[in-house]
């Protein structure tokens, strides 16, 4: 009781002194007390306010990083050590956001040292606003060596957490050529379900693409050291239904990037194209689909070969005969978009071109340095086919897998879209689905055999392309990095070899089809349904 009475007497004395002494003396005494406390305390304190400056309105990026870092550590020991937390979830996200409750502390450890964060929230006098800040407590003896490395660790973890947790967006350009580029993109949430786990690709090709993407994503220091813009170009080419769009979605989900779908037909000129590029963000994939069909870029090549008089006449009339004027997107503007000075206005971006016919794309667009990686997507191999069966039917093995493998090796393979449609339609009966797939492959083999025997007039373009590839042992789904001249030479050599053996291909296909028909015992009447791969 005596101790309590003395304590109350001390509090009373302090209250009297606070009311009697001038504010200047009280402020001086408070400053002396804090200085003495800092001198005797083994800890150092670093305050990180929400806004820069005393009365600033600019957000402090480090404050946001600390908040994200504590979110990233929510499932680890820091969250467990906090007595009170604040949980929230936005309508557009399923992720629960963790935050330290006002005026509470969360502990952390780094480099063998124990640190703590305190979230201060104070009210502003005569205002409804609040003053927020984080205070970091760390050992005073190791402050100089510990603080820079720890803040760098906090920033990297915060950026990684923000990348994987934020809602990704799918953008498309909505400009109309009116000259106002302030809102050149509109977006919707990007929620495409395609991933590398569900993608119908050969395992080796998946591994190569994923390794290349990881190497690019972790290459900040390398690209800066060698003096190259931190970007990567992909050319995806193959027949319709080979999975080009699905691969782009899988790349975006794997890297957690936004997707910008650029429609060149909506872009009026090179200036608008450059403005759209400037508005794209870092960590994004810029896609131009069907690059050979979007705009007429070959006219630029034709214009350079025209005489000067003809060029002047075309320039005065502003006709569409191939003159490079300011009223359209030119090849030069697109080259600057992919590999010019304006392409360096952002970092960590991937440019993807897709086409059904790689030979139709201007060589200047696909050279190394612009399209660094060429991915040739073709029909399903046996591994990709099994992946589709596992995804659609939930079947790991089937008696007809050997028959499908034999068809694929003999040129009867189908695109992932064709196989997926058959499996989707018959997803309730795995046996029926497998029989229809084999029947469709047999029908394709008959079409190829007829093409080799003079019946090519009745085939469509896809079957003609497939007939050229008769005799290949595996689908043409490969990743190529290096000189395009080497690719053309390699592919040309393979085609020449195939043409030498092409005379005996027709007889081998017919004999094999007879053996396969007896193996599967399927209804041959089903072959005509998917004969030309159209659903």
């Amino acid at each position: 009781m005596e101790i309590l009475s003395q304590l109350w007497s001390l509090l009373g004395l302090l209250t009297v002194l606070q009311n009697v002494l001038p504010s200047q003396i009280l402020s001086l005494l408070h400053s002396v007390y804090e200085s003495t406390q800092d001198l005797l305390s083994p800890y150092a304190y670093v305050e990180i306010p929400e806004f820069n400056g005393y009365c600033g309105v600019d957000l402090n990026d480090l404050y946001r990083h600390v908040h994200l870092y504590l979110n990233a550590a929510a499932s680890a020991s820091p969250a467990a050590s906090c007595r009170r937390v604040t949980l929230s979830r936005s309508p557009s996200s399923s992720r629960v956001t963790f935050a330290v409750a006002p005026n509470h502390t969360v502990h952390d450890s780094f480099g063998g040292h124990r640190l703590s964060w305190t979230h201060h929230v104070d009210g502003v006098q005569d205002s409804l606003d609040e003053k927020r800040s984080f205070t970091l407590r760390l050992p005073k003896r190791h402050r100089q060596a510990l603080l820079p490395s720890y803040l760098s660790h906090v920033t990297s973890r915060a950026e990684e957490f923000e990348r994987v947790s934020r809602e990704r967006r799918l953008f498309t350009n909505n400009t109309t050529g009116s000259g106002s580029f302030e809102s050149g993109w509109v977006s919707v949430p990007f929620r495409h379900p395609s991933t590398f786990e569900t993608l119908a690709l050969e395992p080796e090709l998946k591994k190569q693409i994923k390794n290349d993407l990881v190497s690019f994503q972790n290459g900040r220091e390398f690209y800066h050291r060698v003096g190259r813009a931190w970007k990567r170009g992909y050319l995806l080419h193959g027949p319709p239904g080979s999975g080009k769009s699905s691969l782009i979605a899988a790349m975006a989900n794997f890297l957690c990037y936004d997707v910008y779908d650029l429609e060149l037909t909506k872009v009026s000129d090179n200036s608008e194209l450059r403005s759209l590029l400037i508005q794209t963000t870092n960590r994004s994939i810029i896609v131009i689909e069907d690059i050979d069909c979007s705009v007429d870029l070959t006219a630029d090549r034709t214009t350079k070969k025209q005489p000067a008089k003809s060029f002047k006449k075309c320039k005065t009339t502003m006709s569409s005969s191939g003159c490079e004027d300011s009223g359209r997107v030119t090849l030069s503007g697109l080259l600057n978009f992919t590999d010019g000075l304006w392409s360096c206005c952002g970092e960590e971006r991937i440019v993807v071109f897709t086409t059904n016919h790689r030979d139709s794309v201007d060589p200047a667009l696909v050279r190394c340095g612009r399209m660094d990686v060429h991915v040739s997507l073709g029909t399903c191999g046996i591994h990709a086919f099994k992946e589709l069966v596992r995804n659609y039917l939930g079947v790991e093995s089937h008696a007809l897998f050997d028959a499908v493998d034999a068809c694929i090796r003999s040129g009867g393979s189908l695109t992932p879209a064709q196989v997926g449609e058959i499996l989707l339609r018959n997803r309730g009966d795995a046996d029926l689905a497998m029989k229809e797939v084999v029947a469709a492959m047999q029908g394709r083999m008959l079409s190829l055999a007829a093409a080799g025997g003079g019946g090519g007039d009745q085939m469509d373009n896809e079957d003609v392309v497939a007939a050229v590839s008769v005799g290949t042992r595996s689908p043409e789904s490969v990743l190529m990095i290096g000189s395009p001249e080497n690719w053309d030479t390699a592919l040309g050599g393979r085609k020449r070899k195939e043409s030498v053996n092409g005379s005996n291909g027709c007889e081998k296909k017919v004999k094999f089809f007879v053996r396969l028909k007896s193996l599967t015992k399927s209804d041959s009447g089903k072959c005509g349904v998917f004969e030309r791969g159209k659903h």
Side-chain angles (χ1 to χ4, degrees):
M1 293 297 296
E2 184 177 354
I3 297 178
L4 290 177
S5 62
Q6 293 178 357
L7 181 60
W8 282 112
S9 300
L10 179 61
L11 292 176
L13 179 61
L14 292 176
T15 303
V16 172
L17 291 177
Q18 186 176 2
N19 294 330
V20 173
L21 295 178
S23 58
Q24 294 82 355
I25 297 179
L26 290 175
S27 178
L28 178 61
L29 292 176
H30 181 71
S31 178
V32 171
Y33 170 77
E34 287 187 345
S35 300
T36 305
Q37 186 180 24
D38 291 340
L39 182 63
L40 299 178
S41 174
Y43 298 103
Y45 297 86
V46 179
E47 185 175 0
I48 302 176
E50 184 179 10
F51 297 96
N52 293 322
Y54 179 73
C55 297
V57 294
D58 296 330
L59 288 174
N60 186 355
D61 204 39
L62 188 56
Y63 177 90
R64 184 177 62 87
H65 284 166
V66 173
H67 178 74
L68 291 172
Y69 172 74
L70 296 179
N71 269 276
S75 59
S77 58
S81 62
C82 186
R83 293 185 292 108
R84 181 176 295 180
V85 297
T86 301
L87 302 179
S88 61
R89 181 169 58 192
S90 63
S92 60
S93 176
S94 60
R95 182 181 295 272
V96 176
T97 303
F98 161 86
V100 181
N103 303 317
H104 280 71
T105 301
V106 58
H107 298 282
D108 194 11
S109 59
F110 180 79
H113 300 282
R114 187 173 178 83
L115 306 92
S116 65
W117 290 98
T118 302
H119 188 204
H120 296 288
V121 178
D122 301 321
V124 180
Q125 187 177 7
D126 300 331
S127 175
L128 297 177
D129 296 335
E130 293 179 334
K131 181 181 177 181
R132 300 181 180 88
S133 65
F134 281 104
T135 299
L136 171 64
R137 191 188 72 172
L138 68 165
K140 184 185 298 184
R141 294 176 54 188
H142 306 281
R143 174 180 176 177
Q144 298 298 329
L146 187 61
L147 184 60
S149 58
Y150 180 65
L151 291 181
S152 177
H153 166 72
V154 168
T155 300
S156 61
R157 285 286 303 275
E159 291 178 347
E160 176 66 17
F161 177 78
E162 185 179 29
R163 182 181 67 85
V164 301
S165 62
R166 68 184 179 87
E167 182 185 51
R168 293 185 295 279
R169 309 289 296 181
L170 173 62
F171 294 83
T172 185
N173 52 310
N174 68 337
T175 52
T176 58
S178 60
S180 176
F181 309 133
E182 295 181 359
S183 58
W185 299 97
V186 293
S187 66
V188 296
F190 180 75
R191 295 169 183 169
H192 199 290
S194 178
T195 63
F196 277 103
E197 286 70 27
T198 62
L199 206 59
L201 287 180
E202 299 303 307
E204 184 62 27
L205 180 59
K206 284 186 184 181
K207 181 179 178 181
Q208 291 176 349
I209 296 176
K210 291 172 68 174
N211 290 343
D212 187 77
L213 292 175
V214 171
S215 177
F216 166 77
Q217 189 179 37
N218 299 330
R220 179 198 295 268
E221 295 181 359
F222 171 79
Y223 279 89
H224 289 179
R225 178 169 57 84
V226 300
R228 288 191 57 171
W230 191 10
K231 64 181 182 62
R232 192 77 165 155
Y234 275 76
L235 175 68
L236 311 182
H237 61 96
S242 56
K244 296 185 288 294
S245 298
S246 297
L247 177 56
I248 294 173
M251 293 167 60
N253 288 327
F254 180 72
L255 297 173
C256 299
Y257 284 4
D258 291 329
V259 178
Y260 288 84
D261 184 14
L262 178 60
E263 180 60 52
L264 285 180
T265 57
K266 294 183 180 180
V267 183
S268 61
D269 52 27
N270 293 336
S271 297
E272 185 174 343
L273 180 64
R274 185 165 56 246
S275 177
L276 289 171
L277 174 63
I278 294 174
Q279 295 177 40
T280 59
T281 60
N282 298 338
R283 298 191 181 96
S284 60
I285 299 178
I286 304 173
V287 181
I288 302 180
E289 296 195 272
D290 298 323
I291 184 65
D292 55 324
C293 303
S294 298
V295 292
D296 184 14
L297 300 175
T298 58
D300 301 335
R301 299 288 187 187
T302 307
T303 300
K304 294 180 181 180
K305 298 179 182 180
Q306 293 178 349
K309 184 181 296 184
S310 175
F311 177 74
K312 292 180 180 179
K313 179 180 178 181
C314 183
K315 185 176 181 180
T316 57
T317 59
M318 299 298 286
S319 64
S320 59
S321 61
C323 294
E324 185 173 342
D325 52 57
S326 60
R328 65 179 180 87
V329 176
T330 63
L331 176 62
S332 175
L334 193 57
L335 294 180
N336 289 329
F337 177 88
T338 57
D339 194 35
L341 292 176
W342 286 99
S343 67
C344 306
C345 62
E347 289 189 327
E348 198 173 350
R349 291 189 295 196
I350 295 177
V351 180
V352 179
F353 290 167
T354 70
T355 178
N356 294 337
H357 309 283
R358 185 172 69 91
D359 296 337
S360 302
V361 184
D362 193 289
L365 280 173
V366 299
R367 71 162 175 82
C368 294
R370 293 192 175 109
M371 294 294 106
D372 309 289
V373 180
H374 290 218
V375 182
S376 175
L377 300 174
T379 52
C380 282
I382 185 59
H383 295 288
F385 176 80
K386 289 181 179 180
E387 185 69 33
L388 287 174
V389 172
R390 181 163 51 249
N391 293 336
Y392 280 85
L393 306 179
V395 175
E396 295 290 340
S397 61
H398 197 275
L400 293 181
F401 275 171
D402 292 338
V404 171
D405 189 18
C407 287
I408 292 175
R409 291 179 177 275
S410 299
S413 56
L414 306 174
T415 63
Q418 293 170 333
V419 175
E421 174 60 27
I422 299 175
L423 300 180
L424 177 64
R425 187 172 60 250
N426 301 282
R427 60 184 180 275
D429 190 338
D431 293 333
L432 179 61
M434 290 296 300
K435 290 180 180 179
E436 285 208 19
V437 169
V438 174
M441 290 182 174
Q442 291 172 349
R444 186 172 183 82
M445 291 167 58
L446 282 179
S447 299
L448 297 177
D457 294 338
Q458 301 177 359
M459 300 178 64
D460 59 9
N461 292 334
E462 293 184 22
D463 289 334
V464 171
V465 173
V468 175
S469 63
V470 173
T472 58
R473 296 188 58 192
S474 61
E476 191 178 354
S477 294
V478 295
L479 181 144
M480 296 176 287
I481 303 177
S483 174
E485 291 78 8
N486 296 337
W487 306 336
D488 295 337
T489 303
L491 294 176
R494 190 185 67 181
K495 291 180 179 178
R496 287 193 297 270
K497 183 177 180 181
E498 292 168 1
S499 62
V500 173
N501 300 328
S503 58
N504 298 327
C506 180
E507 296 180 4
K508 293 181 180 180
K509 297 303 168 189
V510 174
K511 292 180 180 179
F512 173 79
F513 174 70
V514 174
R515 294 197 303 269
L516 184 63
K517 182 177 180 181
S518 62
L519 174 65
T520 59
K521 296 181 181 180
S522 60
D523 185 6
S524 60
K526 298 178 181 178
C527 297
V529 178
F530 303 99
E531 183 176 2
R532 301 187 184 278
K534 297 185 183 295
H535 310 295

